[in-house]
Amino acid sequence: MVDQPGDGEYPEHWEADVVLRDGGTAHLRPIHPSDAEAIQTFHAGQSQNSIYMRFFAFKARLSAKELKRFTEVDYKDRVAFVITMRGEIIGIGRYDRLDDPTEAEVAFNIADAHQGRGIGSILLEHLAAAAHENGIQRFSAEVLPENRKMLMVFSDAGYDVKRHFDDGVVSLEFNIDPTEKSRAVMESREHRAEARSVRDLLTPSSVAVIGASRKWGTVGYQLLEHIIEGGFPGKVYAINPEALELAGMLSYGRLTEVPDPVQLAVIAVPYEEVPSVVEDCAAAGVKGLVIASAGFADDGERGLQRQRNLVRQARASGMRVIGPASLGIINTHPEVSLNASMAPALPRRGGLGLFSQSAAIGVSLYAASTRRRLGLSTFLSAGNRADVSGNDIMQYWEDDADTSAVGLYLESIGNPRKFSRIARRLARTKPVIVAKSDTMGLRLPPGHAVRTTQAPGGALDAMLRQSGVIRVETIDQLVDVAQIVSGQPLPAGPGLAIFSNSQALGTVVADSAADHGLSVERLVTGVDLDAGRSVALPALRAALLEALAPADVHAAVAALLPARGLTVDSIAEVLAEASAQAGKPVVAAFTGILDESVYVEGMLGTAGNAVPCYPSPGAAVAALAAVVRYSEWASRDQGHFVEPSGCDPAGARAEIEVLLRDVTGEQLKQLDQAAASSLLGHYGISVLPSAPFDTPDEAVAAAEALGWPVAIKTTDPALRHRLDLGGVRLGIEDAESLRRDVVQMRRALSLYGDPSLEVQSMAPVGQACTFRAIEDPLLGPVISFGLAGDAVNLLDDWSHRVPPLSAADVHDFIRAPRAARKLFGYQGLPAVDVAALEDLAARLAWMKDNHPEIALVEFNPVLCGRAGATILAADVRIGNAAQRTDSARRAMLG
């Protein structure tokens, strides 16, 4: 926080850039006392009707007293936000806490010229989030019955609004805790707004190339040439102050000289000229910018600051930014035919959408897809990803009928929680392939503090898997998978038929398929391709259709050596025909072909009748296996997000607020046993009680209170689970045995500095497990599960998930560790109560998702027996919560 003029501290994290309903952008921030003059100007610009709707009376001007009250707030009991565009206030929202400290009255005022853009809904979301931070639970409002627009803001927000009519005014009241419905409403609005903003970028009616050049080979020359040669049907303008004519058209010195509206500006000027160009674009009403210029985040800290200023400048004027250092954008739809990129030609049309964060990788991705003859719907190179991100274009792709599958290369994920949410929704209908190197970092967006806990290494990949993403390592692997999902039917299961004209090759492919988790149901190695075209091709077709017919065969791999008299394309056509007729995917690998003029990879065959082909059977099998796993995920009922019964989030929140009163900065507070048990109890989680002691008599007294038999153990974290080192003694039946064991245990532990001891009732025997939950700076809540002991301590055999969790997520979470086989009966041992572990996982995930203040929870051990699971020890730590990157308010990350 930083000090601002006013009565209190100004929370920096409340500032946000937002996308409006029509795809434009604006800036939201808390009000300042210095806004008084701007508020008066805003008020003077409102119609009499709007002023009456807000104040229930007409006011030509606001008094000095009113301006002081409206602009000087304490950011706790009284909060006000303004939304600005091009420096002018276009919307105001505020709340004032009432006599009941859990309730506040809320009010809005939207500029006449900007009504209908969703500003009221955005203000309500941000006010609710701020109020939630300040301990407010309910909003109330008074609205005139004829103010239908404002009534709709409340009724459409997804809250359970209670209303009554009294003395000519509609009084509203509602709880502001996020609900499943309110979250769904927010996500739907966010989706429509962000999809619209990207659609405006990819389907412009007019384009201006600023920095267009007649010098062959320059970026400005190529961008202008590619737009014209790609057949873009809209108006194209060349902007260059030093040229009168470019590409056979009149050139303009500045964008402001263009007589007609320009929707998209493609900028290729030196970085020092970009701010003035963006200013011209704002003055001309441009909606979006594609910035090819380098010299921003790619130029160290000084360039990063230039980039931040650039984004702030563009968003404040309602414009989205692709880049800087962008390779450009492509849209192959015939009515658009836009190649505003460095790609030499508009690619063939198809169903694959591509996104690259890196310009260099974007070139490789475009080249690989072109070489493989893959048809594209759209392509977007985000460059430095200063604004438009993979999240944004996934919002667009979800609605785009021309896109059937998507591929993204990511160097970083600025908002993984939002990525997970969007990708999960998109992957239900369209395959999502993500190439991400193992060294890819998660960069914290500017303005976010680093938390003291960090997610384990496998958490990000776990998040991708639970979101249904097809995770690959390289660009080639991305295109391998894309060949299948962009044009082939999805396999209904893992059953596989393998075809080959070599017994040895077919056996090797079968072994590879088994290693990838596929089930080889048919192995056909007697395929004769040397009998001549008229005989071999019909025989191949018949044999393939026969093998694909059984219900347990879901796909086929054809691994073929060169054949006399048959071309690769002729064989590929037969494979494609059989695949289409059977409605099952077929992939091919042509090995041993030395003629470099013969294509052996890509979509081979004729137009509309092609099959995915690979240079090696291993690549074909690996790609098909990845698609099988995705298909199984997509066809599975994921269930609803789990909200266990008997939970009291409001009670837990109130208790946390009290516990945090003496916590400052990034300090973490470890809760004692009583406080931890009380907090966990709000989520139906109980811990087997224990009692510390100093003397044997105190131990006996505690055992009598807890109930025999008991165990004694040290509280030392390194020894408390180590039976072999004398840190635990179990099954003590009576007082005499307990006294004796206390003395012996103290003697044994004296080697470790005489740690303190505690006594605890014996829990039912079972498998020892461990749960852990932390708050990560970007991923937010992360929960982990493993079998206690060597499995997690030495082998790092954890499973990880990022809440919220669906029923399917909880099911997979408990079964993901390699050692989880021990839960289901192992070497003659009985199976344990896995349902109890799933219930505990669901409660822990729900608690962690609701309370970012809970920095760490560890249950170790949890004994799971044949009936129930018992937590023997719980470590709970809380701290002042940092803002999650995907909170209950819409905001664009910088």
Side-chain angles (χ1 to χ4, degrees), residues 6 240 309 311 389-390 608 629 675 831:
N240 187 324
N309 294 338
V311 172
S389 67
R629 289 191 294 271

Short mmCIF file of all heavy atoms in Angstrom, two decimals, residues 6 240 309 311 389-390 608 629 675 831:
data_model
loop_
_atom_site.label_atom_id
_atom_site.label_comp_id
_atom_site.label_asym_id
_atom_site.label_seq_id
_atom_site.Cartn_x
_atom_site.Cartn_y
_atom_site.Cartn_z
N GLY A 6 -6.06 11.66 1.68
CA GLY A 6 -7.32 11.11 2.13
C GLY A 6 -7.22 10.69 3.57
O GLY A 6 -6.27 10.98 4.28
N ASN A 240 3.54 6.78 -43.62
CA ASN A 240 4.98 7.05 -43.63
C ASN A 240 5.16 8.53 -43.98
O ASN A 240 4.82 8.95 -45.09
CB ASN A 240 5.70 6.15 -44.65
CG ASN A 240 7.21 6.28 -44.57
OD1 ASN A 240 7.74 7.36 -44.33
ND2 ASN A 240 7.91 5.18 -44.80
N ASN A 309 4.60 1.48 -19.62
CA ASN A 309 4.02 2.78 -19.98
C ASN A 309 3.18 2.66 -21.24
O ASN A 309 2.11 3.28 -21.36
CB ASN A 309 5.13 3.81 -20.18
CG ASN A 309 5.87 4.12 -18.89
OD1 ASN A 309 5.37 3.91 -17.79
ND2 ASN A 309 7.10 4.63 -19.02
N VAL A 311 1.56 -0.03 -22.42
CA VAL A 311 0.30 -0.72 -22.14
C VAL A 311 -0.66 0.19 -21.39
O VAL A 311 -1.86 0.25 -21.69
CB VAL A 311 0.56 -2.02 -21.35
CG1 VAL A 311 -0.75 -2.65 -20.89
CG2 VAL A 311 1.35 -3.01 -22.19
N SER A 389 -3.01 -12.09 -24.31
CA SER A 389 -2.32 -13.30 -23.87
C SER A 389 -3.01 -14.54 -24.40
O SER A 389 -4.04 -14.47 -25.09
CB SER A 389 -2.30 -13.34 -22.34
OG SER A 389 -3.62 -13.52 -21.85
N GLY A 390 -2.46 -15.68 -24.03
CA GLY A 390 -3.09 -16.95 -24.39
C GLY A 390 -4.48 -17.07 -23.80
O GLY A 390 -5.38 -17.66 -24.42
N GLY A 608 -8.87 -32.70 -48.64
CA GLY A 608 -10.11 -33.25 -48.10
C GLY A 608 -10.05 -34.74 -47.86
O GLY A 608 -11.03 -35.32 -47.40
N ARG A 629 -5.47 -40.03 -24.33
CA ARG A 629 -5.64 -39.55 -22.96
C ARG A 629 -6.57 -38.35 -22.91
O ARG A 629 -7.42 -38.23 -22.02
CB ARG A 629 -4.28 -39.19 -22.35
CG ARG A 629 -3.40 -40.40 -22.05
CD ARG A 629 -2.19 -40.01 -21.23
NE ARG A 629 -1.26 -39.14 -21.97
CZ ARG A 629 -0.28 -39.59 -22.73
NH1 ARG A 629 -0.08 -40.90 -22.89
NH2 ARG A 629 0.53 -38.74 -23.35
N ALA A 675 -6.40 -23.61 18.52
CA ALA A 675 -6.80 -22.70 17.44
C ALA A 675 -6.90 -23.44 16.11
O ALA A 675 -7.83 -23.21 15.32
CB ALA A 675 -5.82 -21.55 17.34
N ALA A 831 -7.87 -53.43 1.64
CA ALA A 831 -8.02 -52.08 1.11
C ALA A 831 -8.49 -51.14 2.21
O ALA A 831 -9.17 -51.55 3.16
CB ALA A 831 -9.01 -52.07 -0.05
#
